[in-house]
Amino acid sequence: MSRRYEDFDEFCDPDNPKIIKYEDVVDALKRIRKYIPQTPIIASHYQKECGINLFYKLETVMRTGSFKERGALNALELLPRDRQKIGVVVASLGNQAMGICYYGKKLGIPVTVVMPTSVPVIKLQMCSDMGAKVIVQGHNLVDSQKYARALAKEKGLTHINARDYPDVMAGYGTVAIEIMEQVPALDAVLLPVGTGGLAAGVATVIKHVNPNCLVYGVQSERLPTFYKSLEAGEPLTLPYEPSIAEGIAMPYVGVNAFKNAQNLLDKLILVSEDWIARSILHLIEKERIVVEGAGACPLAAVLCSQVPELKSKNVAIILSGGNIDAILLGRCLDRGLAAEGRLIKFKVLVKDLGTEYARFTKLLADNGYNLVRQFQDRIWVENEIYRVEMKAVCETRGLDHALELKRIIEKTYPNECAFETEPFDSDNTCSCYIPTKC
């Protein structure tokens, strides 16, 4: 059976996609304003370096940490009163569920949330703390959605497809109205794209008010579902791949979202996982903002110079959410540091003597390197009995300092060391730093 019929929903029908209008978004803004105040927009500290007048739209300050509140509240407000009393069911990876749970509690609407097993425990707990009934079902979001639809039919609940429901997308579009009020001379908007709901809502508003304003979507190259769908001219489904940008790592595209955004997006950009990690790191170190992987994607496109045409332009970046758990944040920061050459991993053979260990560590200390981690391998060292393989991770001040470390280690331990960090890959490093092979 095709996915089209497995995932059939009267509000998300592949044969009859719903088109949202600018007026729908304006009405949604009036509807949600009594609960959701305008979120701030701030100038980036990075404007001079990148040559773009960057502004960050801080959806991270929402009560539940993401823009998803806008769509959740609008959809709940528009439900008939009798349907509100019975309740709603939603399948979610976290952000949308938290928005629906929060406003469901405020409006007195019973909420059932279905989440896959991969969702962090903290998000399950937050939904439960807001009074929702939480069900863990399925290995991924697609499985959870199937279960949610079946539950809705069985219990008479209203199923809200949190990523493609027309009223939800209209709510998402309200962020664009605010941006255009806050940055009157706006030239472009960059936003993350998963199933496409945010892109559909924002593009609908931007192109209605100012057709010359560019709308760029950004997606991880790890799972480029919307990108491939645009190329094919129809919604596609791809095999799931995990991503740092977990909130937009979607194997499918919303049928309503695709129809609305297809001809309104000016460009869809793919960014690597390393650049997303570097973007998260940049936002914390330089901007003092904590953002999840999905929300950091648009800035990644700027950092890796994929939008040179936006030089000297007024550009708004939607930081869509800040719900990143502490463990994943730590991993992202380490990966960002490694991608920038500020964490260097290498191994070197040294004599198994205390004086040689002292010599090795002194060499690092004298040149300003911090030894973050080390492991001594005495067993799996081929043809070596009196030497040990030192595996080390060092902190540097940047790529130039890292390259200097490589020179020092190779000079001190010729033919007895190997660097594993990406900046030293021959495809990414200047040839003058790569030893010539005989």
Side-chain angles (χ1 to χ4, degrees):
M1 184 181 291
S2 70
R3 180 186 173 279
R4 169 172 296 192
Y5 295 103
E6 289 176 354
D7 288 352
F8 178 75
D9 183 315
E10 62 177 313
F11 294 105
C12 306
D13 183 357
D15 296 324
N16 185 31
K18 306 295 190 296
I19 302 298
I20 60 172
K21 301 177 182 178
Y22 172 73
E23 292 74 22
D24 297 329
V25 182
V26 173
D27 290 341
L29 184 61
K30 296 175 183 176
R31 200 171 291 117
I32 71 173
R33 186 52 77 225
K34 57 185 175 182
Y35 291 106
I36 301 177
Q38 187 179 77
T39 55
I41 195 165
I42 63 173
S44 167
H45 300 309
Y46 183 63
Q47 289 186 353
K48 184 177 180 181
E49 290 86 343
C50 70
I52 301 173
N53 299 321
L54 277 183
F55 298 90
Y56 297 126
K57 180 63 170 170
L58 301 182
E59 294 297 283
T60 56
V61 303
M62 289 283 196
R63 173 62 180 79
T64 60
S66 87
F67 76 97
K68 297 287 183 73
E69 286 186 22
R70 298 173 181 272
L73 178 56
N74 189 52
L76 292 176
E77 285 271 31
L78 284 171
L79 281 179
R81 187 57 191 157
D82 60 327
R83 303 303 299 171
Q84 289 183 352
K85 289 181 179 180
I86 297 172
V88 300
V89 59
V90 58
S92 171
L93 294 176
N95 285 353
Q96 188 70 56
M98 287 188 287
I100 288 181
C101 291
Y102 181 70
Y103 288 106
K105 185 176 182 180
K106 274 188 172 295
L107 299 173
I109 301 173
V111 176
T112 300
V113 175
V114 183
M115 290 180 162
T117 55
S118 58
V119 169
V121 174
I122 184 63
K123 293 186 177 181
L124 297 173
Q125 189 61 52
M126 289 179 70
C127 291
S128 180
D129 290 346
M130 287 185 278
K133 178 181 179 181
V134 179
I135 300 172
V136 178
Q137 185 72 35
H139 297 293
N140 52 52
L141 185 59
V142 174
D143 292 341
S144 296
Q145 285 179 327
K146 292 177 184 176
Y147 185 86
R149 281 190 298 276
L151 188 65
K153 293 177 181 178
E154 178 185 344
K155 303 292 185 182
L157 304 171
T158 298
H159 172 248
I160 296 179
N161 185 333
R163 292 178 171 271
D164 203 38
Y165 203 67
D167 296 338
V168 168
M169 292 193 299
Y172 292 166
T174 61
V175 68
I177 295 179
E178 292 182 10
I179 291 173
M180 301 200 80
E181 291 174 351
Q182 294 166 313
V183 187
L186 188 66
D187 296 304
V189 175
L190 272 66
L191 51 84
V193 177
T195 52
L198 178 62
V202 169
T204 295
V205 171
I206 297 292
K207 293 303 182 180
H208 178 88
V209 178
N210 181 8
N212 294 321
C213 182
L214 300 172
V215 181
Y216 287 179
V218 186
Q219 192 167 50
S220 171
E221 65 182 21
R222 182 89 173 171
L223 190 55
T225 315
F226 210 94
Y227 183 90
K228 295 292 186 181
S229 296
L230 288 176
E231 283 188 333
E234 63 178 355
L236 299 178
T237 299
L238 301 181
Y240 175 74
E241 292 286 345
S243 169
I244 290 175
E246 57 182 353
I248 58 172
M250 293 294 111
Y252 65 94
V253 167
V255 294
N256 296 323
F258 182 80
K259 187 65 175 181
N260 280 272
Q262 182 178 17
N263 297 317
L264 297 179
L265 282 177
D266 293 286
K267 183 187 289 189
L268 190 57
I269 301 167
L270 298 181
V271 291
S272 71
E273 295 284 290
D274 278 350
W275 277 109
I276 299 172
R278 292 177 71 167
S279 182
I280 294 171
L281 177 65
H282 174 93
L283 285 163
I284 288 179
E285 285 192 327
K286 303 295 177 62
E287 311 286 5
R288 303 297 187 267
I289 306 170
V290 177
V291 177
E292 63 192 71
C297 277
L299 179 61
V302 174
L303 295 180
C304 67
S305 304
Q306 289 208 54
V307 287
E309 68 275 16
L310 299 183
K311 294 288 185 182
S312 302
K313 303 292 186 181
N314 295 324
V315 178
I317 288 180
I318 299 178
L319 300 183
S320 58
N323 292 317
I324 182 169
D325 69 83
I327 294 175
L328 179 58
L329 177 59
R331 292 173 180 172
C332 290
L333 294 179
D334 282 347
R335 183 160 183 171
L337 289 167
E340 289 188 356
R342 293 164 59 189
L343 281 181
I344 300 299
K345 181 183 177 185
F346 64 95
K347 56 187 177 182
V348 60
L349 285 173
V350 300
K351 291 181 179 179
D352 196 3
L353 298 171
T355 54
E356 287 300 313
Y357 301 146
R359 178 191 177 210
F360 173 72
T361 55
K362 186 175 186 302
L363 182 68
L364 297 177
D366 288 348
N367 289 279
Y369 301 101
N370 182 30
L371 185 59
V372 179
R373 290 188 288 274
Q374 67 166 325
F375 171 72
Q376 299 174 5
D377 185 358
R378 292 179 173 82
I379 302 173
W380 291 280
V381 184
E382 189 175 354
N383 299 324
E384 293 291 346
I385 297 298
Y386 301 106
R387 290 198 295 180
V388 61
E389 185 177 79
M390 295 282 291
K391 298 179 179 179
V393 176
C394 285
E395 183 182 15
T396 78
R397 294 189 294 270
L399 185 57
D400 289 340
H401 196 214
L403 291 167
E404 183 61 28
L405 171 64
K406 187 171 187 289
R407 294 192 191 96
I408 292 170
I409 296 297
E410 287 179 342
K411 181 179 179 180
T412 308
Y413 302 96
N415 302 317
E416 297 175 344
C417 60
F419 283 73
E420 302 176 17
T421 307
E422 183 179 336
F424 302 115
D425 188 307
S426 60
D427 293 332
N428 300 291
T429 308
C430 175
S431 58
C432 60
Y433 296 123
I434 302 171
T436 304
K437 294 182 180 180
C438 298

